[in-house]
Structure formats: structure tokens, C-alpha cells
Amino acid sequence: MMHDFLIDNRAELERRCREKVANRPDRSPNKQQLEQGIPMFLDQLIHTLQAECRGAEAEALAVSGPSTGDPERRGEVGMTASIHGADLLTLGYSISEVVHDYGDLCQAVSDLSIDLNEAFSINEFRTLNRCLDNGIAEAVTAFNEHRDLVIADEQALEVNERLGFFAHELRNHLSTATLALAAIKSGNVGLVGPTGSVLDRSLVSLRGLIDQSLADVRIGPGMKLHRTTFSLANFIREVKYSASLEADLMKCAFLVEQTPSLLTVYADKDLLFSAVGNLLQNAFKFSGKGGVVTLSADAGTDNILIKVKDNGPGLSAEATRDIFLPFTQSGANKSGLGLGLSIARRSVEANDGTLTVESELGQGCIFIIDLPDKLQQNA
């Protein structure tokens, strides 16, 4: 009888299972597995086989569960397997290792029965397979469900963190604008002067934050780009007009080099506008009062290059590697969310381009947008 074989050779079967686990890369049985994994499953398998041997089918099914895998009628095997699958996720194991744990026992039983020349009936093998199938199915289901919950929690935490930062920045700029407007409405100060400049600066900052958020949504999964062919020179003029106010507020010189009038770009204009705008905001921020920011655009061999150059403090090699990561802020000025450069790169990449930076400490930065010249490539 299989249940007698399992009882008599239980210690050897558990030893073989532990050995198989230990031989897998980066894996060793822990105390929790030794108490709740294969040992508990062996108890349930033995109980099921003994009940079937007595003809107590209902009792056997209450332990093993039906072969149909009905979730409404799962037995003790399914319930403990669910706990086991969730525990393995908590311990950092993969779903394949969940399946291997049950396969180890099946292989150990088969190997040992051959070694000892033991023979089992077909019905006993069916019972073994039913218990294994239900155990694996419930363990894998629980593993996946808990993994999905963990992923959802991590994503929710990331979204909440970003929304929190975003709301905090919006509130700060809006509060400043509200106070400046209240002072102007009192009649004691005018629109032209320091208070008017504060109001302008707050509104420009609000616009920048909203532009960033819209660009972030546009480059999200499932969103379609709206690509058109447009004049590069006209595009640069629009960017200059939009960015000039911010440059004036920052007391920063803003130079725009002449763009060849015949050059065109095939891209999502709004995303490209957001990318260049974010680069200019960053340049004004770190060049500061008395600084100089230069915007230029020209054609390469089969590409379009848009460059934003500043004379800020520059970046170390390490900072250059990390500058495009979300929530990364280099330098002493920590205002903003640290998302602008990350969104800029994603906006450029959405247009099949690249965004890189060249910098040395004390030498400022040059941000380079490299876009494919679709018209030349298709000529």
C-alpha cells in the first residue's frame, strides 16, 4: 500500500526533497518549508490514501479536493498549498520554484519505490496525481494573486508619491500667486514691480508643472502620438516666445541661434515642445541670475539636432549618468519635482529620438535632442 510506504519511508523522502531543493541555484530549505511545505503535504496524502483504502471517499475528497479542481470544493491540500505558495512569494522565490517543490516529492516517491522495488496500484497513482495537481494549482494561484497585490501596492505607492509631490508643488505656486494677486488688488502695489514679478513667476511655474503632467500622460502606455511635418524654424520661434518670459523672470540671458528656414521635422509637436521646454526650464534654473542659455537647431547627415546649452555649475560623471532618472535633482537648487528631464527624455524617445547630455564640472551642460530626419530617410 502506498500509504504504508510513505509512512515507513517518510524521513528518507523528506531528506531527498531537501536535497533537491538545496541543489537548485540560490535555494535552500528554510524552517518554514520544513514544517509547512512537503511534510504537511505528506500528512494529507497519507490521510487521503488511508481514507480511500477504507472506502471513505467523502473523507478522502475532503482532504485532497476533487480532481476537477473546483474552487468551491477545495480540500485541505488546496488550503495549505495556498498558504505555502504565498509564503514562497514572501521569501522571494519564483513561481517555477513553487512548482518544483511539489514535483520534488513526486520524483522522490518514484525514485525510492524503484530503489526498494515497491509497486503501487493505478488508483494509488491517480490519488497521488490528484493531490499533486490540486496542491500545485492552489499554490500557483495564491502565489500569483499575492504577487499581483504586491505589484499593485508598489504601483499605487509610486503613483501616490508622484501625485503628492505634484500637488505640493502646485499648492506652493498657487498660494504664492494668490498672495501676490491679493496684494495687487488691495491697491497698495501695482502690476509692474516686484509683486507683479512674483505673480508672473508663479503662473509660469504653474504652466510648467501642468505641461509636464500633460506630457507624462501623452507618453503613457496605450496613448497614440499625433505626428505631423512642421517647420523647424517656426517651432524654435514658438519655443523662444514661450520661454522668454521665464528667462526674463530669472534674469538670465536667452540666446536663440538662427535656424535654417527650409528644415522640417516629422514628430509629435506637443511632446517635442514639452521636451525642449523642460530642458530650457532646467537651463534657466541652474544658470541663474546673470547666466546665459543658448538654444540652437540644425541638420546633421540624416538627423535633426536641437541643443540647449547653459553655463551652470555642470555635472560630475556620476550625476550625468543619473540625471534622467525620475525624482533626480542635481546641484544646490532642489526646487521642482525632479521629473522634468525624465519626461523630456521619454518625450524625445517617443518620437524615435535620443536625448543626451555633455557636461563637465564648472563648464555647464549641453543637452542634445537627436531626431531622425524622416524626409531624408524616405527620399
Side-chain angles (χ1 to χ4, degrees):
M1 293 292 182
M2 184 181 284
H3 61 267
D4 292 328
F5 171 82
L6 296 177
I7 293 171
D8 294 341
N9 297 283
R10 181 182 184 121
E12 175 62 14
L13 290 170
E14 291 183 4
R15 186 195 68 76
R16 291 190 179 204
C17 288
R18 287 196 297 270
E19 186 177 79
K20 290 178 185 295
V21 172
N23 287 335
R24 288 201 288 273
D26 302 322
R27 184 75 192 275
S28 61
N30 55 67
K31 182 179 179 182
Q32 193 170 8
Q33 283 181 275
L34 295 177
E35 294 176 353
Q36 296 181 0
I38 294 303
M40 191 173 293
F41 180 80
L42 269 172
D43 286 339
Q44 294 163 340
L45 177 59
I46 292 170
H47 186 176
T48 301
L49 290 165
Q50 289 173 331
E52 288 186 347
C53 187
R54 298 194 309 270
E57 293 295 328
E59 181 183 343
L61 290 177
V63 178
S64 69
S67 58
T68 58
D70 186 353
E72 300 297 325
R73 299 173 55 203
R74 67 177 184 167
E76 293 177 16
V77 167
M79 289 185 281
T80 54
S82 294
I83 297 173
H84 184 57
D87 287 342
L88 289 181
L89 173 65
T90 304
L91 294 169
Y93 297 131
S94 69
I95 195 167
S96 65
E97 290 168 319
V98 175
V99 177
H100 278 308
D101 277 359
Y102 289 92
D104 288 343
L105 177 61
C106 183
Q107 188 175 349
V109 170
S110 299
D111 291 346
L112 186 57
S113 66
I114 293 173
D115 293 344
L116 300 179
N117 198 27
E118 288 280 352
F120 305 122
S121 69
I122 294 177
N123 286 336
E124 286 176 318
F125 269 114
R126 284 175 178 169
T127 300
L128 171 61
N129 286 331
R130 184 175 79 243
C131 290
L132 285 171
D133 286 347
N134 287 338
I136 291 172
E138 293 291 345
V140 168
T141 299
F143 184 96
N144 280 331
E145 288 177 349
H146 282 75
R147 182 185 60 186
D148 290 344
L149 289 173
V150 169
I151 292 173
D153 286 343
E154 291 175 350
Q155 291 176 338
L157 181 62
E158 180 184 353
V159 170
N160 287 338
E161 184 179 63
R162 293 180 67 177
L163 285 175
F165 276 117
F166 184 70
H168 177 75
E169 291 293 311
L170 282 177
R171 183 181 62 184
N172 284 348
H173 293 311
L174 185 58
S175 295
T176 302
T178 302
L179 291 173
L181 181 60
I184 292 171
K185 288 173 67 176
S186 70
N188 295 323
V189 296
L191 282 171
V192 179
T195 305
S197 296
V198 169
L199 178 59
D200 286 341
R201 189 177 296 110
S202 299
L203 293 176
V204 167
S205 297
L206 282 170
R207 183 196 64 193
L209 283 172
I210 293 171
D211 286 344
Q212 283 186 15
S213 67
L214 290 175
D216 202 17
V217 171
R218 287 283 309 281
I219 54 183
M223 299 300 291
K224 293 184 178 180
L225 300 186
H226 303 293
R227 299 189 183 187
T228 58
T229 301
F230 53 89
S231 164
L232 182 60
N234 289 342
F235 173 80
I236 293 298
R237 277 194 290 271
E238 290 180 35
V239 171
K240 177 182 178 181
Y241 179 79
S242 177
S244 292
L245 176 59
E246 187 165 3
D248 291 342
L249 292 172
M250 299 292 292
K251 307 298 183 185
C252 181
F254 181 32
L255 306 179
V256 180
E257 296 183 2
Q258 187 172 357
T259 304
S261 59
L262 296 180
L263 289 181
T264 58
V265 181
Y266 179 71
D268 185 307
K269 187 175 181 180
D270 291 337
L271 286 184
L272 186 59
F273 194 93
S274 170
V276 178
N278 276 315
L279 295 179
L280 288 171
Q281 287 178 11
N282 182 78
F284 296 143
K285 172 181 173 181
F286 287 103
S287 294
K289 185 177 180 179
V292 179
V293 172
T294 303
L295 172 63
S296 63
D298 208 340
T301 304
D302 57 358
N303 58 338
I304 298 293
L305 298 175
I306 301 175
K307 299 181 180 180
V308 174
K309 180 180 180 181
D310 65 56
N311 66 341
L315 299 169
S316 64
E318 182 180 1
T320 301
R321 288 194 301 269
D322 298 337
I323 193 66
F324 296 107
L325 296 176
F327 301 108
T328 298
Q329 294 177 308
S330 300
N333 190 336
K334 302 296 183 183
S335 62
L337 297 175
L339 288 172
L341 293 180
S342 172
I343 293 174
R345 169 171 273 188
R346 291 169 60 199
S347 298
V348 172
E349 290 176 349
N351 279 301
D352 301 325
T354 61
L355 173 58
T356 56
V357 60
E358 297 176 358
S359 181
E360 293 182 15
L361 284 175
Q363 301 298 317
C365 296
I366 302 176
F367 288 89
I368 305 169
I369 295 175
D370 189 334
L371 295 170
D373 188 341
K374 299 288 186 179
L375 294 182
Q376 289 188 33
Q377 291 179 2
N378 295 330

